[in-house]
Amino acid sequence: MSHPENTNLAETFAGLTKSDPKVSHLAGNHFSKPASAERVNAAKAGLEKNGFKVHVVNTRADAFETLKSLIPAGASINNAHSTTLEEIGFISYIKGQTPWDNVHGTILAEKDAGKQAELRRKLGSTVDYYLTSVAAITEDGKLVHGDLSGSKVEGVAFGAGKIIVVAGSNKIVKDETEAFKRLHEHAWALESARVRIAYGLPASAVTNMSVINQANPFNKDRLHVVIVNDALGY
């Protein structure tokens, strides 16, 4: 089974820790390594107990095909920036012709900053399917993530019809305390390294943070989690 290649290698974990001295010390730390089968099973059980729909797959190609299968033809889609989605080839794929209405492409096509911000607010967070990753998944089944602008946190919390989270097993942590540590000491540092390349800014910031404790009781099929038995993203 094949999948499109990630063409943005400079912004992967390996690329950033090699090129940016501010994050080189993170190379090889425990947050960058795939979790054991025991921990994956614990996280899966915890997520399912909390009402989330969970899919565990072995490879990036499997993750790509699973994600495709979860989105019906004709649905509108948007994605948060996600190195994980890039690494499984999904971002390359949706830049071409797909069965879906890719709102993200519409937003990026607007070059006026003010108008683009309005499109992000009105269209980006209210799509049928919002695709993203998270900073951490706890073994008792909670999802922890954050962002700078609020668009990702808002879309996941309420705006979009359905959410699909794709995460490598390297994002599995023991509990919320370790999740916050992973977010602030690992993911934020690497995201800051990415924005230095992508936007020429000195750093990112976690201005918004969310812990998703359980599935929405009024829409229990809303949030799916695809766990990949591989190290993906940061």
Side-chain angles (χ1 to χ4, degrees), residues 36-51:
S36 66
E38 181 181 11
R39 298 189 73 197
V40 171
N41 290 336
K44 180 177 185 291
L47 289 165
E48 290 176 336
K49 182 179 179 180
N50 292 339

Side-chain angles (χ1 to χ4, degrees), residues 8 11 71 75-83 85-86 90-96 98 100-112 115-132 149 151-152 194 199:
N8 196 13
E11 296 179 13
I71 309 171
S76 61
I77 64 169
N78 190 22
N79 61 277
H81 174 267
S82 168
T83 299
L85 292 177
E86 289 178 340
F90 204 78
I91 299 304
S92 294
Y93 176 69
I94 61 175
K95 288 179 179 178
T98 73
W100 315 302
D101 175 14
N102 181 15
V103 169
H104 194 73
T106 302
I107 293 169
L108 294 181
E110 175 55 67
K111 301 307 179 185
D112 180 275
K115 292 179 180 178
Q116 187 183 102
E118 277 297 286
L119 287 174
R120 288 184 185 277
R121 184 177 69 85
K122 293 180 177 179
L123 296 180
S125 299
T126 58
V127 289
D128 297 324
Y129 283 79
Y130 193 82
L131 317 174
T132 187
S149 69
S151 60
K152 174 184 174 184
R194 186 189 75 83
Y199 309 119

Side-chain angles (χ1 to χ4, degrees), residues 11 16 20 22 148 191-204:
E11 296 179 13
L16 293 172
D20 192 325
K22 292 185 177 181
L148 174 63
E191 175 63 8
S192 291
R194 186 189 75 83
V195 303
R196 285 192 281 275
I197 294 174
Y199 309 119
L201 299 174
S204 185

Side-chain angles (χ1 to χ4, degrees), residues 197-220:
I197 294 174
Y199 309 119
L201 299 174
S204 185
V206 182
T207 57
N208 306 277
M209 187 175 70
S210 175
V211 179
I212 308 171
N213 293 307
Q214 62 183 30
N216 185 329
F218 305 108
N219 188 356
K220 293 185 177 181

Side-chain angles (χ1 to χ4, degrees), residues 36-190:
S36 66
E38 181 181 11
R39 298 189 73 197
V40 171
N41 290 336
K44 180 177 185 291
L47 289 165
E48 290 176 336
K49 182 179 179 180
N50 292 339
F52 302 112
K53 305 299 180 183
V54 186
H55 315 261
V56 176
V57 300
N58 288 322
T59 68
R60 300 176 186 203
D62 292 337
F64 174 80
E65 293 297 334
T66 299
L67 184 50
K68 281 177 61 181
S69 73
L70 290 172
I71 309 171
S76 61
I77 64 169
N78 190 22
N79 61 277
H81 174 267
S82 168
T83 299
T84 297
L85 292 177
E86 289 178 340
E87 289 182 310
I88 68 169
F90 204 78
I91 299 304
S92 294
Y93 176 69
I94 61 175
K95 288 179 179 178
Q97 188 169 359
T98 73
W100 315 302
D101 175 14
N102 181 15
V103 169
H104 194 73
T106 302
I107 293 169
L108 294 181
E110 175 55 67
K111 301 307 179 185
D112 180 275
K115 292 179 180 178
Q116 187 183 102
E118 277 297 286
L119 287 174
R120 288 184 185 277
R121 184 177 69 85
K122 293 180 177 179
L123 296 180
S125 299
T126 58
V127 289
D128 297 324
Y129 283 79
Y130 193 82
L131 317 174
T132 187
S133 191
V134 290
I137 301 173
T138 67
E139 289 184 16
D140 62 350
K142 298 175 183 178
L143 303 170
V144 177
H145 70 133
D147 69 3
L148 174 63
S149 69
S151 60
K152 174 184 174 184
V153 168
E154 191 280 331
V156 172
F158 185 74
K162 292 187 183 295
I163 309 298
I164 306 176
V165 171
V166 182
S169 67
N170 54 307
K171 295 188 176 182
I172 295 173
V173 297
K174 179 66 177 175
D175 51 27
E176 279 190 45
T177 298
E178 191 176 21
F180 297 150
K181 181 180 178 68
R182 191 183 194 285
L183 171 62
H184 291 288
E185 297 181 12
H186 183 83
W188 169 79
L190 289 154

